[in-house]
Amino acid sequence: MRRTVGDRLKDVSGSGDDSRWLDILEQASREFDMASNNPMYARVATIYPNSWNGCELWLPPFVSLSSVLIDDDGDDTFETTLVVDTDYRYWPDGGLPHTPYHRIDINRNSTTISRWPLTPRRVKVTGVFGYSYETAATGQVVAAGGITSSATSLTLATGHGIDLGETLVIDSEQCYVTALPDRLTATVTRAINGTTAAAHDAAAVISRRKYPADVVNGCIERARYLWHNEFRGGMEPDSLGFATSSWPRWLGLVRRYEVPRSP
């Protein structure tokens, strides 16, 4: 989202300086994440959720889980590993593509577990958390020779279309584009959002993160308002495409994606 909003804010200012526009975009994006309780970015994390009734285990919005472990006796050792579908299932079942899961329910046929523990830190869950992990093609691949786990430059082909502020995905690692020193090189921060820096072979596909269009557009409008609030005393001139209903539209967007806090 930073890339798209940064471009449009640059159009507003005419300055060609992306740094402040990207900061404002970051502000609008994080405001949406916090208000909706439904982050658009995907992060790898380990959490220790609690069940309030023993039957349901609510989690932050998630894309997939790599492990669910149980501490059987409260000794801080997680002895039991649960298996998806065999022991538990994602909820909602059969959701729309590129939308998150919110809960895991015990499979009634499981021979390993019949109820979630009710005391704190008895369940350990690791996975990818966030609204989605949707990606789009960049048409780029890792250059000949590959890259090491510590390299901070990517060599790109002519006409790559990658821009400042994008999150790129190579295998399972996420990288953040911090600079484009020339047309064929991108400087990146490695291993963001809880992913692990790794070496990548030549020809490994480079993708970019993709977000819902209405969220992107809403953050664009919100970021433009924040820019004018900072530099123009809060005015929203119609000549720049603003409308007096921008705040209600923003609230409507947040509510459309809002996820209730776990019980």
Side-chain angles (χ1 to χ4, degrees), residues 8 28 31-32 35-36 213-226 236-258:
R8 298 197 192 180
E31 183 180 328
F32 175 87
S36 67
D214 56 345
V215 175
V216 171
N217 290 334
C219 286
I220 287 170
E221 183 174 48
R222 181 63 179 156
R224 284 164 66 98
Y225 169 77
L226 292 172
E236 298 184 71
D238 289 338
S239 61
L240 292 174
F242 292 119
T244 56
S245 59
S246 62
W247 178 245
R249 281 199 300 272
W250 175 252
L251 291 180
L253 177 67
V254 167
R255 288 168 182 163
R256 187 155 64 249
Y257 283 89
E258 188 173 13

Side-chain angles (χ1 to χ4, degrees), residues 27-39:
Q27 179 182 346
S29 300
R30 298 294 77 78
E31 183 180 328
F32 175 87
D33 291 338
M34 290 186 290
S36 67
N37 192 35
N38 197 0

Side-chain angles (χ1 to χ4, degrees), residues 122-161:
R122 295 282 298 280
V123 183
K124 181 180 180 180
V125 177
T126 300
V128 178
F129 294 88
Y131 181 80
S132 79
Y133 200 16
E134 185 177 4
T135 60
T138 64
Q140 300 294 300
V141 297
V142 174
I147 56 173
T148 67
S149 60
S150 59
T152 58
S153 293
L154 290 177
T155 300
L156 305 172
T158 302
H160 56 78

Side-chain angles (χ1 to χ4, degrees), residues 21-32:
W21 317 140
L22 294 178
D23 289 342
I24 292 173
L25 169 56
E26 183 75 17
Q27 179 182 346
S29 300
R30 298 294 77 78
E31 183 180 328
F32 175 87

Side-chain angles (χ1 to χ4, degrees), residues 30-194:
R30 298 294 77 78
E31 183 180 328
F32 175 87
D33 291 338
M34 290 186 290
S36 67
N37 192 35
N38 197 0
M40 291 293 110
Y41 59 90
R43 65 185 179 95
V44 177
T46 296
I47 63 172
Y48 299 85
N50 296 328
S51 175
W52 64 279
N53 62 4
C55 300
E56 302 169 344
L57 190 64
W58 289 88
L59 305 176
F62 69 94
V63 177
S64 63
L65 302 179
S66 56
S67 70
V68 177
L69 308 176
I70 303 295
D71 177 359
D72 294 324
D73 50 15
D75 64 352
D76 291 329
T77 299
F78 292 85
E79 299 92 349
T80 300
T81 300
L82 303 185
V83 179
V84 65
D85 293 330
T86 301
D87 299 311
Y88 66 90
R89 294 186 173 122
Y90 297 169
W91 182 92
D93 186 15
L96 295 173
H98 308 301
T99 58
Y101 299 102
H102 300 282
R103 193 178 77 203
I104 53 177
D105 297 339
I106 291 174
N107 183 343
R108 290 175 295 177
N109 297 316
S110 172
T111 59
T112 304
I113 187 171
S114 59
R115 289 177 63 82
W116 296 112
L118 297 177
T119 50
R121 292 187 69 88
R122 295 282 298 280
V123 183
K124 181 180 180 180
V125 177
T126 300
V128 178
F129 294 88
Y131 181 80
S132 79
Y133 200 16
E134 185 177 4
T135 60
T138 64
Q140 300 294 300
V141 297
V142 174
I147 56 173
T148 67
S149 60
S150 59
T152 58
S153 293
L154 290 177
T155 300
L156 305 172
T158 302
H160 56 78
I162 291 172
D163 210 339
L164 182 69
E166 288 205 84
T167 296
L168 303 180
V169 180
I170 310 174
D171 297 326
S172 60
E173 181 184 354
Q174 296 182 48
C175 306
Y176 180 69
V177 180
T178 58
L180 293 165
D182 58 60
R183 293 182 179 180
L184 299 179
T185 306
T187 303
V188 296
T189 298
R190 302 288 300 273
I192 66 169
N193 293 332

